[in-house]
Amino acid sequence: MLGSVVSCSPACLAGLRSSRHLVARLSHCGRPVRLHWAIASAVSQADQDAAPAAAAAAAPAAVPQQQEQNGDGNGTQQQKQQRKVGAAGPRTSSKEMVDTSPPRGTRDFYPEDMRLRNWLFGEWAAVSQLFGFEQFDVPVLESEELFVRKAGEEITDQLYNFQDKGGRRVALRPEITPSLARLVLGRGKGLALPAKWWIIGQVRHHRPITN
């Protein structure tokens, strides 16, 4: 670069403080020529003179940053390590294998399985409608109390149950009958009898393995 920057008269060098000042001044000059060795020496000397001042100006700004990283100096090494881990979050090794199996008690249906299942369900639906039955559906998630009323407190050990964010005890339905009874009670005397309903629904029932 020293051989290709633009030239200017010696008056341009008056008050030169660093190479950046030289570049700024040379940008206003007229024609490109080779940089004289005297100018290069002046620039080098100006940079050397400016380096201590720049380092002194940067030092006060670095002290608060270092204090912020170290905290107040009273924390233990363990606390600092915890803050560091908390900021970065837990890391999962990229070499860990992902479990591709569905949760226990469930299964996947690939397209060839769905073709068979849809055909079978279609036959059930056609026969049900042929005999005057109407399809209904209920939520998979029900109140835990609904199943306790039918089977007693011991049923809770066989439910996939939990407390929702509103503090209510809920469970994945282990059967359809309690949900059907809830629908019939909800209609009350307004329900036309006989009620001929049919449903194909999933249930979740936890049965402990015994020897």
Side-chain angles (χ1 to χ4, degrees):
M1 176 167 182
L2 292 180
S4 60
V5 299
V6 293
S7 176
C8 64
S9 63
C12 292
L13 299 179
L16 182 64
R17 296 191 299 272
S18 68
S19 57
R20 289 189 299 177
H21 291 81
L22 175 64
V23 173
R25 292 192 183 186
L26 293 183
S27 62
H28 299 290
C29 296
R31 60 184 184 281
V33 294
R34 297 178 64 84
L35 183 64
H36 193 271
W37 67 269
I39 299 177
S41 178
V43 170
S44 177
Q45 184 63 36
D47 286 341
Q48 292 178 8
D49 295 340
V63 172
Q65 182 178 2
Q66 184 177 4
Q67 292 177 350
E68 182 180 355
Q69 293 176 354
N70 295 337
D72 56 4
N74 297 328
T76 63
Q77 186 67 23
Q78 182 179 2
Q79 292 173 339
K80 295 177 182 178
Q81 184 67 20
Q82 289 176 351
R83 288 196 296 268
K84 182 178 180 181
V85 173
R91 294 185 178 181
T92 302
S93 175
S94 59
K95 297 182 179 180
E96 293 183 1
M97 298 297 295
V98 177
D99 186 6
T100 59
S101 302
R104 181 179 177 182
T106 63
R107 59 165 297 184
D108 298 318
F109 287 87
Y110 288 92
E112 58 271 19
D113 302 320
M114 285 300 300
R115 286 194 295 269
L116 177 59
R117 195 181 81 168
N118 290 338
W119 172 83
L120 181 59
F121 286 2
E123 292 297 313
W124 289 352
V127 173
S128 298
Q129 294 172 1
L130 184 63
F131 284 87
F133 285 81
E134 296 179 297
Q135 187 176 12
F136 76 100
D137 199 6
V138 288
V140 176
L141 193 66
E142 289 276 13
S143 171
E144 183 184 73
E145 179 64 21
L146 183 66
F147 306 110
V148 172
R149 283 179 174 269
K150 177 180 183 292
E153 289 289 342
E154 60 273 9
I155 191 63
T156 57
D157 295 333
Q158 304 177 28
L159 299 177
Y160 289 97
N161 49 1
F162 57 93
Q163 182 172 300
D164 66 8
K165 295 184 181 298
R168 297 173 292 268
R169 296 294 304 177
V170 293
L172 298 177
R173 64 188 184 197
E175 56 175 320
I176 301 294
T177 304
S179 299
L180 173 60
R182 178 177 59 79
L183 261 64
V184 173
L185 291 175
R187 284 290 180 88
K189 295 182 179 180
L191 178 64
L193 298 176
K196 301 176 68 174
W197 297 352
W198 70 274
I199 184 176
I200 300 176
Q202 297 184 354
V203 296
R204 296 289 182 269
H205 200 143
H206 175 67
R207 292 181 175 87
I209 298 177
T210 58
N211 294 329

